[in-house]
Amino acid sequence: MSRLEAKKPPLFISEPLTRETVCQSLSLLSGVLKSSYGPSGRLKQLHNGAGGCVCTTSQSSALLGHLSVSQPVLRVLTASVQNHVSRFSDCGLFTAILCCGFIENFRSLNVAPFTVIKISKHLLSLCMGHLKSEACGCRLSVDFSSVETLVCLVRSILMSKPACMLNKTEVDHLTTLVLKAFIFTVPCHAGTNAVLGKCVIVPVKGRRVMDSTVLAGLLIELPEFQLGKPLAVKRTGSNMIKIALFSVSMSGDGFNPEEGMIAVHHGVSLEVSELNQLLNVGKQLVKDEVGLVVCQKVMHPSLKQFLKENGVVAVDRAGLSLMEPLGRVTGSKPIVSIHSLSPGCYGSLKDLCIESFASKYFLHLIPEDTVICSLILCNRSETAWDELKRVCETAEHVLQLTMKEPLALLGGGCTETHLASYIRHTSSSLPASTFKDLGCSQTQYQLVADGFCRSLESLARSLSHDGGEILTDMVYGHCWFVPPGSPCVSKWSDLVSKCGCGMNGNTDDLSWRFLQGQSGSPVIQGCPKESSVKVTDLLTLDCFAAKCNGLQVALETANLILDLSYIVEDQN
């Protein structure tokens, strides 16, 4: 018997945020995320040490999904951000960078963590109350009867990821397609329990982005399509096409153990018996006037040939991902056994045709009324296509969230600087009863509030990667970027034309100041005003629901990490 090694005692790490290795890891992660932030963010190439594909991206979902994190503190942070992204798809980098900023600014204060947490929660409630109020100057209502704000929202998402390699014309084209696809998924007759449909992305790599298009209905790739042969399909008496959808294998190469035991008599071939059963299923389908049979798995060649000879189009290897949209498009219920066919499981289609894109051929399923559409997405390289697919999925999800809560926030750093200005103004005029209720002094409150504001301002500064000056105005509290290499001038208005979100021009006397984010920044004179400029198609906007949740997740995660006294690691 081999000698057993004695179990090692667990490792106790007290006050982890005072450890240099933890702080260095946190600073490194923050630097990686900040350098990836925004339209001019730097791309990252990620691959593991064992080889495999290389991921080129600046998206939080891809970055955090590929990064190997060993520090327990960072695991808490990344898991929290990934959970946010799984629910909202957007504002992942915003959440992660802001969380790192809160931790960095709060831990340097000479204030007990318990007190910091109480004060920061109060500051968060002030922010959320302001964002949800009608008087908020960084919030816009989204009118779904007009596409202007929706165009701004989708375009902002597409332009925020440089790895997609899009020019302005391509951004405009894809913005139109994403909006068109989203409109297809909205039911025409919305009742009290209306459910949005789905956009299925069809990959076509190695083609121009401008070749991308949207079609109502569903596309199924046909790898074995023969040119020159017309598509002859059987129709019912009402001129509809009946469809049967099988989720069970129809290959005839073995029985399903879940269906029970099979007794085979001596001299009987199991393969011939299964093929006969499949052909009986085919005869029943022909008898029921089915015109299209789609199988998730493999279909026996003899069955496919039999169906074809009887005017039935047969498609196999459809895959699991298409089963749910196929059911919604056709109204069919997946058939789970070849031994029981029920007339109630069939669906129907209005028409069926062949579509060709690049060198691929697709079966186009056209329903009578659908909330499912297909986005044929093209890009020049596989890397750029992968990033573009993630971005389009994010844009679709953001539109769905915006329909549920029709609001948007100003982008380009303006929401962050506006909130910082609002907190600086509000926190300077709080009544003494507030500090008494929180169990802190006014000095402690101001220290935490200043750290809170510096975290927001630091996030806005992360959008600049080329060394240009960054300003904020004293009227609206918006963010302004001075082009790098600009000459020294007496008036900033000679160098900046629009704020980060594009809402405000430089026509007013806005009293700019440097956005340095250092302690002791001047308090804004009065509460930041609401911009009176109308929405144009040049605004940079963010998803209201995603950003509000990201702000809450960032602070709650930072407070959780600040409150850590011990980390216990198993050494075995």
Side-chain angles (χ1 to χ4, degrees):
M1 177 182 286
S2 61
R3 187 170 54 188
L4 296 175
E5 184 180 351
K7 290 188 72 173
K8 298 176 183 177
L11 177 65
F12 289 85
I13 303 174
S14 63
E15 303 298 336
L17 287 183
T18 62
R19 302 297 177 105
E20 187 175 350
T21 53
V22 175
C23 295
Q24 286 178 347
S25 299
L26 191 64
S27 177
L28 178 62
L29 177 65
S30 178
V32 169
L33 298 175
K34 282 182 177 180
S35 65
S36 306
Y37 193 45
S40 59
R42 305 313 191 225
L43 302 182
K44 305 294 179 291
Q45 281 198 332
L46 306 167
H47 63 95
N48 58 43
C53 63
V54 177
C55 176
T56 303
T57 186
S58 63
Q59 277 198 335
S60 60
S61 58
L63 282 170
L64 298 179
H66 285 79
L67 283 177
S68 178
V69 179
S70 58
Q71 286 285 353
V73 170
L74 298 193
R75 284 183 184 175
V76 172
L77 194 156
T78 55
S80 184
V81 174
Q82 285 176 307
N83 181 59
H84 162 81
V85 173
S86 70
R87 293 176 56 214
F88 292 89
S89 298
D90 197 21
C91 296
L93 288 177
F94 166 87
T95 305
I97 296 169
L98 187 57
C99 182
C100 292
F102 283 144
I103 296 169
E104 181 182 349
N105 284 301
F106 289 164
R107 72 180 177 85
S108 62
L109 301 176
N110 190 22
V111 182
F114 179 71
T115 305
V116 170
I117 291 170
K118 286 197 298 182
I119 296 171
S120 64
K121 285 181 178 179
H122 184 260
L123 292 167
L124 177 64
S125 69
L126 291 178
C127 282
M128 298 309 298
H130 181 60
L131 290 172
K132 293 181 179 181
S133 71
E134 295 291 334
C136 179
C138 59
R139 192 185 84 168
L140 289 177
S141 295
V142 178
D143 182 8
F144 276 83
S145 64
S146 171
V147 298
E148 282 186 343
T149 313
L150 298 175
V151 165
C152 292
L153 199 53
V154 174
R155 180 186 287 161
S156 300
I157 295 170
L158 292 173
M159 293 183 68
S160 68
K161 304 303 173 189
C164 295
M165 309 294 285
L166 303 176
N167 58 38
K168 184 182 182 301
T169 305
E170 291 168 341
V171 168
D172 292 341
H173 179 63
L174 285 174
T175 299
T176 303
L177 293 184
V178 170
L179 278 174
K180 186 177 178 182
F182 173 71
I183 292 170
F184 272 131
T185 66
V186 179
C188 295
H189 309 289
T192 53
N193 296 319
V195 178
L196 289 175
K198 185 175 183 179
C199 173
V200 178
I201 295 179
V202 180
V204 179
K205 301 173 184 178
R207 302 286 294 197
R208 300 182 313 135
V209 174
M210 298 301 291
D211 293 333
S212 302
T213 189
V214 172
L215 295 173
L218 201 59
L219 294 179
I220 303 177
E221 188 172 352
L222 296 174
E224 300 175 357
F225 179 72
Q226 295 180 353
L227 287 171
K229 292 194 175 183
L231 185 65
V233 57
K234 179 182 288 188
R235 293 177 180 268
T236 63
S238 58
N239 202 32
M240 297 295 287
I241 301 171
K242 193 179 286 187
I243 175 174
L245 185 60
F246 287 86
S247 59
V248 67
S249 174
M250 304 179 78
S251 62
D253 58 357
F255 69 94
N256 187 352
E258 295 176 0
E259 296 182 357
M261 300 296 292
I262 295 180
V264 182
H265 295 286
H266 180 70
V268 176
S269 169
L270 181 60
E271 289 78 10
V272 173
S273 177
E274 287 228 7
L275 179 56
N276 289 334
Q277 177 64 40
L278 288 173
L279 292 175
N280 288 334
V281 170
K283 292 173 184 177
Q284 183 65 46
L285 293 171
V286 172
K287 181 181 177 182
D288 292 342
E289 297 184 304
V290 172
L292 172 64
V293 177
V294 179
C295 181
Q296 175 187 332
K297 301 176 182 178
V298 179
M299 189 181 295
H300 196 285
S302 298
L303 176 59
K304 290 176 75 174
Q305 182 63 31
F306 173 81
L307 293 172
K308 182 180 178 182
E309 290 172 353
N310 286 272
V312 181
V313 178
V315 179
D316 64 347
R317 294 183 175 90
L320 179 62
S321 62
L322 278 180
M323 296 304 284
E324 188 265 339
L326 271 169
R328 294 189 67 177
V329 164
T330 63
S332 57
K333 298 175 183 177
I335 300 168
V336 297
S337 172
I338 61 173
H339 301 289
S340 59
L341 289 182
S342 169
C345 64
Y346 298 142
S348 63
L349 287 170
K350 180 183 177 181
D351 202 1
L352 201 61
C353 65
I354 300 294
E355 301 281 358
S356 65
F357 295 95
S359 58
K360 295 184 177 183
Y361 290 88
F362 300 90
L363 193 64
H364 185 192
L365 282 63
I366 305 170
E368 188 72 40
D369 186 17
T370 182
V371 289
I372 304 291
C373 68
S374 298
L375 171 59
I376 301 170
L377 191 61
C378 308
N379 212 337
R380 290 168 287 273
S381 68
E382 186 170 354
T383 298
W385 187 91
D386 290 340
E387 187 84 345
L388 185 57
K389 177 178 181 285
R390 288 190 288 263
V391 171
C392 289
E393 289 172 339
T394 298
E396 183 193 9
H397 193 185
V398 164
L399 290 172
Q400 292 171 351
L401 293 169
T402 305
M403 173 166 270
K404 186 181 291 186
E405 194 169 11
L407 297 167
L409 290 174
L410 301 178
C414 289
T415 290
E416 290 84 344
T417 53
H418 176 89
L419 282 177
S421 298
Y422 172 78
I423 291 297
R424 290 189 195 280
H425 166 75
T426 306
S427 63
S428 65
S429 56
L430 289 172
S433 59
T434 302
F435 310 127
K436 184 178 179 181
D437 293 341
L438 292 171
C440 68
S441 66
Q442 184 175 2
T443 302
Q444 288 176 323
Y445 191 96
Q446 289 298 337
L447 283 171
V448 177
D450 188 60
F452 190 96
C453 294
R454 282 188 283 122
S455 300
L456 288 168
E457 291 171 338
S458 175
L459 183 59
R461 292 201 314 276
S462 299
L463 287 167
S464 176
H465 302 277
D466 299 313
E469 297 288 356
I470 307 171
L471 313 173
T472 184
D473 66 83
M474 303 288 280
V475 178
Y476 303 110
H478 282 215
C479 187
W480 303 74
F481 297 92
V482 179
S486 298
C488 295
V489 293
S490 57
K491 291 178 64 179
W492 286 115
S493 57
D494 295 338
L495 295 178
V496 292
S497 58
K498 288 280 187 181
C499 65
C501 69
M503 178 71 81
N504 297 312
N506 62 359
T507 53
D508 301 323
D509 183 13
L510 299 179
S511 303
W512 288 288
R513 68 175 175 87
F514 286 108
L515 186 68
Q516 299 295 345
Q518 299 299 320
S519 180
S521 295
V523 177
I524 195 164
Q525 301 299 311
C527 188
K529 295 180 180 179
E530 182 178 358
S531 301
S532 58
V533 182
K534 293 182 178 179
V535 177
T536 67
D537 60 354
L538 299 176
L539 289 185
T540 300
L541 299 178
D542 289 324
C543 176
F544 180 83
K547 202 154 198 175
C548 285
N549 189 76
L551 176 59
Q552 295 178 80
V553 168
L555 186 70
E556 289 167 2
T557 306
N559 284 344
L560 174 64
I561 292 172
L562 287 167
D563 204 29
L564 287 175
S565 296
Y566 281 94
I567 293 175
V568 182
E569 282 191 79
D570 188 2
Q571 297 296 292
N572 296 292

